[in-house]
Amino acid sequence: VPWPMYAVDGQVNMTYMYLPRTDLPVKDPSEANLGWTQVARKQTELRAERTLVTDLIFTWDTLAHKYAKNAAGLNVLWGDGHAKFSTTKAAFDLKLWGPTGNQWAANEVPGGNSKNFNTIVSLLRP
């Protein structure tokens, strides 16, 4: 029998994020240097190595897949339609995820910090 995944509050969570990305760098050079790519607006712009849908990227504590308080990875649906569990270490740097526990401000976690959020997404690889 599979065990359900419970969040800190005891609720079962199933949240995904729609993130269609292209290979084209964003227009702002400082953001392009971080590896950020443009949002795909057409199916033909999707790429196998770029995200389409991911598990929730909000806070470290809401990260769905952890092992002994360390990130295990994220489920990702990639641009070509294949699904794979991404374990790209750089995407799980605690500096990008902000503080843990209940003492954090929205701008400190990826769910409220677009720079950290986009950097995490840009680092994910199949």
Side-chain angles (χ1 to χ4, degrees):
V1 175
W3 293 92
M5 185 207 65
Y6 291 98
V8 177
D9 60 5
Q11 302 295 313
V12 175
N13 290 325
M14 291 188 279
T15 305
Y16 297 96
M17 305 190 79
Y18 179 64
L19 306 162
R21 299 295 179 149
T22 70
D23 274 340
L24 300 172
V26 293
K27 296 185 189 225
D28 181 328
S30 65
E31 294 172 349
N33 288 338
L34 295 171
W36 298 5
T37 59
Q38 294 180 27
V39 172
R41 303 212 185 277
K42 299 187 271 186
Q43 186 176 6
T44 56
E45 295 175 342
L46 297 173
R47 296 293 175 257
E49 63 284 344
R50 298 292 178 192
T51 61
L52 180 58
V53 177
T54 72
D55 281 329
L56 177 68
I57 299 173
F58 188 70
T59 69
W60 188 261
D61 293 322
T62 60
L63 186 61
H65 305 283
K66 289 188 281 190
Y67 178 75
K69 297 187 179 184
N70 295 311
L74 288 168
N75 287 310
V76 180
L77 178 64
W78 300 95
D80 66 349
H82 84 279
K84 188 171 180 186
F85 192 68
S86 180
T87 59
T88 311
K89 287 187 184 256
F92 300 101
D93 184 337
L94 279 173
K95 292 177 204 155
L96 295 171
W97 288 83
T100 61
N102 295 326
Q103 302 299 317
W104 49 265
N107 66 346
E108 296 176 311
V109 296
N113 182 311
S114 63
K115 180 179 179 189
N116 289 2
F117 178 85
N118 282 304
T119 300
I120 290 167
V121 170
S122 73
L123 292 169
L124 292 172
R125 292 292 180 271

